[in-house]
Amino acid sequence: MAQQSNSDHNPSLKANYTSPSGNQKFEHPLNALPVELSVEEKTAYLSTLRSAVTCLQEEVNTFLTSRMEEDKAIAVQRTGVIDDKKEEENYGEEVVEDEN
């Protein structure tokens, strides 16, 4: 969701991850949206917004994948095995998407 930044009043796309072990903030600044736009300007703005959403999603996915790998390594150190059932409870079932 685009939100107004408190410091400079420019909109930004933000996501916050909160867990018992820490917090992570993600943010992508956006250009201010002029009041009156032509169709071309609206299209360009939406294109920029879509790109920012894609970048933010990639950053969040990379961060969460890293967290999952860290959790898995800690679990293996403690127990010596990977508990697939617990992983599925924590992260959901792995779904492999077909790239074709």
Side-chain angles (χ1 to χ4, degrees):
M1 166 190 283
Q3 298 179 350
Q4 286 292 100
S5 173
N6 292 334
S7 61
D8 57 7
H9 301 294
N10 286 328
S12 62
L13 186 65
K14 298 178 183 181
N16 295 314
Y17 172 83
T18 304
S19 74
S21 61
N23 303 320
Q24 180 71 31
K25 294 183 179 197
F26 305 91
E27 182 172 4
H28 283 270
L30 301 171
N31 294 327
L33 183 61
V35 176
E36 298 200 20
L37 295 174
S38 68
V39 172
E40 293 81 16
E41 290 169 322
K42 288 178 185 176
T43 301
Y45 184 82
L46 291 174
S47 176
T48 301
L49 180 59
R50 177 177 283 183
S51 294
V53 169
T54 299
C55 284
L56 187 72
Q57 183 177 17
E58 288 174 4
E59 287 178 19
V60 170
N61 287 343
T62 299
F63 172 77
L64 292 177
T65 299
S66 174
R67 290 291 308 256
M68 289 171 54
E69 293 301 321
E70 289 171 14
D71 290 348
K72 187 186 294 186
I74 290 169
V76 169
Q77 285 179 344
R78 288 184 186 155
T79 64
V81 296
I82 296 173
D83 185 347
D84 290 330
K85 186 164 180 76
K86 183 168 176 121
E87 277 198 358
E88 190 172 315
E89 286 175 16
N90 287 339
Y91 307 114
E93 186 175 348
E94 182 177 358
V95 177
V96 178
E97 294 181 19
D98 186 11
E99 303 244 347
N100 293 331

